[in-house]
Amino acid sequence: MAITKLTNSGLSGNKYPNLMADNTFMEPIATTLGTGSSGVITFSNIPQIYKHLQVRAILRGTASATANGTDMRFNGDSGSNYTLHRLIGDGSAASADGYTSRTGAWLGLETDASATANIYAVCVTDILDYTNQNKYKTTRSLSGYDLNGSGQFNFASAVWLNTSAIKSITINAAASGNWTTATRISIYGIRG
Amino acid sequence: MAFTYSPIASVTVGSGGASSITFNDIPQNYTDLVVKVSARSSVNDTAFTVQFNGSTTAYYTRNLLTYVAAPTAGTAASSTQSNTASASLEALEPSTYTANTFNSSEIYIPNYAGSTNKSFSADTVTENNGTQSMLVMVAGLLSNTTAITSIKLSPATSGNFVQYSTAYLYGIRATEY
């Protein structure tokens, strides 16, 4: 008889709610926390078995500002091989901007030292077909922060002008700052 | 406990291109559907559409979009469609944009198998190393209570999806079997 269901309902003792025999194809690859003494977080040796990546983060740096944008670099590429286009809302107006020849792909916003304490920016960034060597790598990002009186939301796109499969992602805090200790960046793989 | 992103089907467009991408016979045992799209047009077409169950009436959308021209700032705008034959999600990567570049889109369809009208949302971007690019967020409605069993994606005006365009259909289930 085929096994069609697994459940821990009714079990006593230790339970393992994360036991999944079915349908969890968004899988955590790695999570890194800020240390307070480094502004660089790198995810290396990204498995090539997924179709898409998703980066989820809460970000706060130590730069002398309220907030900044944060970039990611793929496969260590720090050349001017990225673009950025953004739709920006700050609660009173909508605006847009765009850039070419950037040295990183936009990840999202980070709050920094001048922002209200304990408030972090959040972001979710998708990278579809990250292993496809016939495509440049387009990213799509939603990010924002709210300081209870001010804030910003960004809907952004970027492209890495390179068809290589993405095998590493490096995320640098803005303005040579460090990531605070509650900064958390997670990468997920999505099968297809 | 939610079961996330169960792959249902995927399409990769071959060397001849494709005039549309269709997912048929969608299982009805999920809670929501997600479609992830990475596509490019064979012509200068900047929009693509979605249809459910082959229905060609009663689509409504309201979007927030911007065309951004680097390095010059762009302008945000909003528009609506009423009672159309398909829902435009805008932001298809046209042939005139930077080569090897494809859009990135996610379409979310909650309660697709239920008996209410079908609401959906989409956020889509194109990219372009140079001048103009697009970012679009869409809220949509199919004013039809039939459960969704098929999804069709098409370029809005002409041309095909080019080779290496992809679309992935996922099911999200809120509970165990």
Side-chain angles (χ1 to χ4, degrees):
Chain A
M1 180 174 68
I3 295 173
T4 60
K5 179 179 178 180
L6 290 178
T7 180
N8 58 18
S9 174
L11 294 178
S12 61
N14 291 330
K15 297 185 180 183
Y16 300 93
N18 292 322
L19 174 65
M20 296 191 180
D22 179 34
N23 297 341
T24 298
F25 293 92
M26 182 172 176
E27 302 173 1
I29 296 174
T31 292
T32 299
L33 301 179
T35 64
S37 59
S38 172
V40 182
I41 290 176
T42 298
F43 298 91
S44 301
N45 302 313
I46 294 173
Q48 302 293 291
I49 60 175
Y50 302 102
K51 290 298 183 183
H52 319 300
L53 297 176
Q54 185 174 89
V55 182
R56 297 186 173 190
I58 56 170
L59 301 168
R60 186 174 176 111
T62 60
S64 297
T66 298
N68 277 293
T70 302
D71 286 339
M72 8 176 220
R73 289 173 175 166
F74 301 130
N75 298 359
D77 183 2
S78 59
S80 301
N81 299 316
Y82 305 85
T83 67
L84 166 65
H85 298 85
R86 293 190 300 171
L87 177 59
I88 303 164
D90 65 4
S92 60
S95 61
D97 61 14
Y99 306 89
T100 58
S101 300
R102 299 187 79 245
T103 57
W106 178 264
L107 172 64
L109 294 163
E110 65 175 69
T111 53
D112 283 300
S114 299
T116 307
N118 301 314
I119 294 181
Y120 288 69
V122 298
C123 81
V124 178
T125 298
D126 285 284
I127 311 168
L128 305 187
D129 289 338
Y130 74 103
T131 66
N132 191 310
Q133 298 186 57
N134 296 293
K135 295 180 169 181
Y136 290 162
K137 305 307 180 286
T138 300
T139 69
R140 172 171 39 87
S141 170
L142 295 171
S143 67
Y145 65 91
D146 195 303
L147 304 179
N148 189 19
S150 64
Q152 192 177 113
F153 168 76
N154 282 198
F155 176 36
S157 64
V159 69
W160 181 39
L161 301 165
N162 192 310
T163 58
S164 297
I166 293 174
K167 298 183 178 180
S168 72
I169 299 175
T170 300
I171 300 164
N172 296 305
S176 301
N178 296 323
W179 291 120
T180 59
T181 54
T183 289
R184 179 188 180 107
I185 305 175
S186 299
I187 295 184
Y188 297 84
I190 300 171
R191 297 183 185 265
Chain B
M1 177 167 59
F3 292 80
T4 61
Y5 289 103
S6 298
I8 297 173
S10 65
V11 172
T12 300
V13 176
S15 59
S19 59
S20 64
I21 293 173
T22 301
F23 298 107
N24 289 314
D25 301 318
I26 296 172
Q28 299 295 291
N29 58 335
Y30 295 99
T31 307
D32 307 328
L33 296 177
V34 174
V35 184
K36 293 183 181 284
V37 181
S38 171
R40 183 182 177 96
S41 173
S42 62
V43 299
N44 188 16
D45 188 353
T46 57
F48 71 113
T49 66
V50 63
Q51 289 177 314
F52 304 123
N53 299 346
S55 174
T56 57
T57 61
Y59 293 92
Y60 301 82
T61 65
R62 189 173 301 271
N63 71 43
L64 172 63
L65 67 91
T66 184
Y67 289 81
V68 182
T72 305
T75 304
S78 187
S79 64
T80 63
Q81 295 178 306
S82 294
N83 201 17
T84 55
S86 61
S88 177
L89 304 182
E90 303 288 339
L92 175 63
E93 191 87 15
S95 61
T96 53
Y97 280 13
T98 301
N100 305 315
T101 307
F102 292 70
N103 76 352
S104 176
S105 179
E106 179 163 311
I107 308 164
Y108 200 94
I109 312 162
N111 196 35
Y112 73 102
S115 57
T116 58
N117 289 325
K118 301 302 178 285
S119 296
F120 58 95
S121 63
D123 54 272
T124 307
V125 302
T126 64
E127 260 300 331
N128 193 20
N129 184 31
T131 55
Q132 202 170 73
S133 191
M134 294 172 279
L135 302 103
V136 185
M137 307 184 91
V138 174
L141 171 70
L142 170 59
S143 186
N144 188 313
T145 60
T146 304
I148 292 173
T149 58
S150 71
I151 298 172
K152 180 179 180 181
L153 306 171
S154 306
T157 55
S158 61
N160 293 327
F161 293 123
V162 301
Q163 185 181 22
Y164 309 123
S165 294
T166 55
Y168 302 84
L169 176 64
Y170 297 89
I172 297 178
R173 184 180 296 117
T175 59
E176 299 177 63
Y177 280 115

